[in-house]
Amino acid sequence: MSEAPWVTIIGLGEDGLNGLPPASQSALSAAEIVMGPPRHLALLGSLPCQTIEWPVPFADGIDMLLGLRGRQVVVLASGDPFWFGAGATLARHLADGEWISLPAPSTFSQVANRMGWSLEKTPCFGLHAAPLTRLRPSLAQGAKMIVLLRDGPAVEALCSYLAHETFGAATLTVFEALGGPRECVTTFKADAGVPKPFTHPVCVAVDIAGEGQAMPLASGRADEWFESDGQMTKRPVRAMTLSALAPRPFEHLWDIGGGSGSIAIEWLLSHISLRATCVEPRADRAARIKSNAERLGVDRLKTITGHAPEALKNLQDPQAVFIGGGLSHELLDWLQSNLSSGTRLVANAVTLESEALVLGAQTRLGGELLRLDLSRSEPLGPRRGWKASYPIVQWSVTL
């Protein structure tokens, strides 16, 4: 049986009590304890009950809250607590029925209404504790986005990032303390320099313009997007590999022998719910994989320096596995013995030895074999001719 709600999560706007609906005001009146960041507590002024400042980092306040079980507690959050807010984090630590949420209009919806933008077509980002590079997949001429930033100085960092990516012509509309008595709205170009100091809380509406390169949406992005030492699944083969891996929402990929991380990165770019782990034996390449992932907006990629199969033993189970390097009898036997039925496996073989391995594996386990023979046109004296790459044998199977 669900317990009675003892935690009420209240979404608070910058106008404090004046903007609270009756249900939220009633919950505050009945509260024994109100927890929230100092700024939110200040917006409510003097309260008749006990108040507790939520600590930094945020996670430190969870145990403090759970220690108050049995008392009526209000937790203050910004706007809609379940849109880049504290709501989902709190709900993970509370049983069903122990909490209720009373949201206010989100900052995103308020900004969209001010700008006249269709919210369902406008990417929204909460970058309080996330890198600005999360914006990279969405940067394109004519794109619009709404970005929550951690503080005022982060506006300057955003301008610098856009200029670095050659989108310095973007127009920024900065909203400070949106909806409250301190509200201030400032519009300027990213490459024109920050016109004044900004103060928290800040939200920025960004209208992208400039000569920067938009990231393609299809798998098989140009090799130039990835820094590498040459150890990389090249664009045409990468496109075929991603097609064989067939990413689906909420799945986890193991990329074994990551090289530059291009397969795992493109897997993650397919959908925000996807997860991936790269296993790479060389420390320098593992560092490069991490750098590529952060620069291309998928810093959620997990990178492990180690050798398979030893490095795989404590990982969360995958739904798909790509073997780009380190193919061996030992690895294939371990995968067959330890992975769940239904796991998709794709291996690319370049050498005669690795080709023999996948041919033998296909005989035992079935699956599909595909031979990729690619040639590129290159200068041949005053004319042009075809230069063949090493053929690749791709084996894909569902265990």
Side-chain angles (χ1 to χ4, degrees):
M1 179 182 295
S2 297
E3 300 184 38
W6 61 274
V7 175
T8 302
I9 308 168
I10 290 181
L12 192 64
E14 290 300 310
D15 50 356
L17 286 169
N18 292 331
L20 283 179
S24 297
Q25 294 195 29
S26 296
L28 273 175
S29 299
E32 298 176 59
I33 300 172
V34 175
M35 292 186 68
R39 183 176 65 83
H40 286 157
L41 292 172
L43 288 172
L44 296 182
S46 179
L47 294 172
C49 61
Q50 179 185 355
T51 61
I52 299 175
E53 291 187 0
W54 198 282
V56 177
F58 182 85
D60 290 351
I62 300 296
D63 288 339
M64 188 183 302
L65 172 64
L66 297 179
L68 300 174
R69 182 179 270 106
R71 306 179 69 179
Q72 288 298 309
V73 182
V74 162
V75 176
L76 303 176
S78 294
D80 185 343
F82 283 86
W83 199 352
F84 294 105
T89 301
L90 295 175
R92 286 197 297 269
H93 294 273
L94 297 167
D96 290 344
E98 283 194 303
W99 60 272
I100 58 172
S101 178
L102 303 174
S106 72
T107 302
F108 297 115
S109 63
Q110 293 186 69
V111 169
N113 277 273
R114 298 287 189 93
M115 300 298 297
W117 295 352
S118 296
L119 190 56
E120 73 275 10
K121 298 177 182 177
T122 305
C124 297
F125 298 89
L127 302 184
H128 304 92
L132 293 170
T133 50
R134 293 243 181 123
L135 303 176
R136 191 59 188 87
S138 297
L139 295 181
Q141 175 73 29
K144 295 175 171 58
M145 57 186 66
I146 302 174
V147 184
L148 295 176
L149 296 174
R150 65 180 180 273
D151 54 26
V155 176
E156 184 172 4
L158 174 60
C159 292
S160 298
Y161 176 69
L162 291 171
H164 178 268
E165 297 297 327
T166 328
F167 289 106
T171 300
L172 276 60
T173 302
V174 180
F175 295 86
E176 298 174 85
L178 178 62
R182 296 191 302 110
E183 179 184 301
C184 182
V185 182
T186 308
T187 300
F188 59 98
K189 298 285 187 182
D191 57 7
V194 176
K196 64 163 204 163
F198 294 102
T199 57
H200 180 73
V202 288
C203 181
V204 186
V206 188
D207 193 347
I208 298 295
E211 299 176 354
Q213 187 177 9
M215 187 180 296
L217 298 177
S219 297
R221 293 160 177 89
D223 295 344
E224 290 73 22
W225 284 100
F226 307 94
E227 294 180 1
S228 79
D229 57 5
Q231 188 70 21
M232 178 174 66
T233 304
K234 300 301 190 292
R235 181 184 63 80
V237 178
R238 194 181 332 118
M240 298 290 287
T241 301
L242 266 295
S243 177
L245 287 169
R248 299 158 192 169
F250 302 101
E251 289 189 331
H252 181 204
L253 170 75
W254 285 357
D255 182 354
I256 301 173
S260 68
S262 61
I263 292 290
I265 289 170
E266 291 220 31
W267 166 279
L268 293 174
L269 286 169
S270 299
H271 197 266
I272 189 63
S273 69
L274 292 169
R275 292 164 293 121
T277 302
C278 258
V279 176
E280 168 54 51
R282 283 181 45 172
D284 59 333
R285 288 179 178 165
R288 190 177 293 115
I289 290 169
K290 186 174 174 23
S291 174
N292 279 334
E294 291 174 348
R295 180 171 47 81
L296 297 176
V298 287
D299 54 284
R300 66 187 187 278
L301 174 61
K302 183 177 181 181
T303 305
I304 293 176
T305 305
H307 294 266
E310 291 79 9
L312 306 174
K313 295 179 179 178
N314 295 317
L315 299 183
Q316 185 176 2
D317 288 347
Q319 285 70 51
V321 177
F322 171 62
I323 307 174
L327 184 63
S328 66
H329 280 297
E330 179 190 10
L331 176 58
L332 288 176
D333 289 345
W334 190 93
L335 293 173
Q336 182 184 356
S337 300
N338 289 275
L339 295 183
S340 302
S341 175
T343 303
R344 304 188 300 282
L345 175 63
V346 176
N348 289 347
V350 180
T351 66
L352 292 175
E353 290 79 6
S354 59
E355 183 176 329
L357 275 175
V358 298
L359 291 174
Q362 194 270 343
T363 301
R364 297 193 314 274
L365 302 176
E368 180 179 347
L369 285 172
L370 187 67
R371 180 182 167 98
L372 306 175
D373 288 287
L374 299 172
S375 298
R376 301 175 185 272
S377 65
E378 293 193 359
L380 186 61
R383 301 178 185 274
R384 298 186 69 83
W386 293 107
K387 182 176 181 180
S389 302
Y390 288 112
I392 293 173
V393 174
Q394 184 179 92
W395 172 52
S396 57
V397 65
T398 300
L399 298 179

